[in-house]
Amino acid sequence: MKKTILFFLTVLAIGVTSCSGGSDDEAQAPSPFDPGTEARPGWTARNLPDIEQNMTVYLRVQNELLPYVSVNDLVCAKIYGEVRGVGVPMLDNDEWLIPLVVFSDGTAPIQLSYYCDKLHRIYTIDWIDFDASLPPVGNGDLYTPKFVKIR
């Protein structure tokens, strides 16, 4: 009797384990941290002295990207598709920061893109509207844009 119960529990455990994994045909959504194939972009801002307004901000790298950040990464601010600022990460007191100066002729939406060299991926977000009088750091804290939405 004990052998029959043990056999039944073993078969039940194998059946539950094999059914819980789902089918092999189901496609897994790629992780935003899987290596990509994107080449390092050649982001450069045009000669900007003719643009009178600028906004300086220090961006903090979001926690989920910290294991992948390096000095080879790039951040780009675009206004209406034109590159208006480029920054690179720097290590400051054991924290990765990205100084970024953004130039604009007036109020306009800014799009930020972040190229991660270790992952060969570009992450892009719609950020804020440019306003030289209101840097996007609120109460003096560093701004941490969320390039990657974690599920």
Side-chain angles (χ1 to χ4, degrees), residues 1-12:
M1 178 71 167
K2 287 183 182 178
K3 287 183 182 179
T4 304
I5 293 173
L6 183 59
F7 175 75
F8 177 73
L9 290 175
T10 303
V11 170
L12 182 63

Side-chain angles (χ1 to χ4, degrees), residues 31-43 62 65 68 72-78 83 111-126 146-149:
S31 165
F33 306 108
D34 288 342
T37 58
E38 294 168 302
R40 180 182 173 86
W43 293 325
Q62 77 184 70
L65 286 171
Y68 310 103
N72 296 321
D73 296 354
L74 289 173
V75 171
C76 161
K78 292 181 182 178
V83 176
Q111 184 182 64
L112 282 183
S113 294
Y114 176 78
Y115 172 73
C116 181
D117 186 64
K118 289 182 181 177
L119 294 175
H120 301 286
R121 283 183 169 267
I122 297 173
Y123 304 93
T124 300
I125 61 168
D126 291 327
K146 295 293 183 187
F147 288 104
V148 180
K149 293 182 182 176

Side-chain angles (χ1 to χ4, degrees), residues 58-59 61 69-71 88-93 95-99:
Y58 280 83
L59 305 174
V61 177
V69 71
S70 78
V71 294
V88 295
M90 64 180 210
L91 199 54
D92 182 38
N93 293 325
E95 182 175 29
W96 286 102
L97 301 177
I98 304 166

Side-chain angles (χ1 to χ4, degrees), residues 22-86:
S23 75
D24 292 335
D25 296 335
E26 291 178 9
Q28 294 279 334
S31 165
F33 306 108
D34 288 342
T37 58
E38 294 168 302
R40 180 182 173 86
W43 293 325
T44 56
R46 67 180 171 88
N47 190 3
L48 299 173
D50 57 327
I51 299 176
E52 294 180 11
Q53 297 181 35
N54 67 66
M55 170 178 68
T56 302
V57 62
Y58 280 83
L59 305 174
R60 178 183 285 137
V61 177
Q62 77 184 70
N63 290 338
E64 295 84 3
L65 286 171
L66 284 175
Y68 310 103
V69 71
S70 78
V71 294
N72 296 321
D73 296 354
L74 289 173
V75 171
C76 161
K78 292 181 182 178
I79 295 179
Y80 301 122
E82 181 183 9
V83 176
R84 295 294 186 94
V86 177

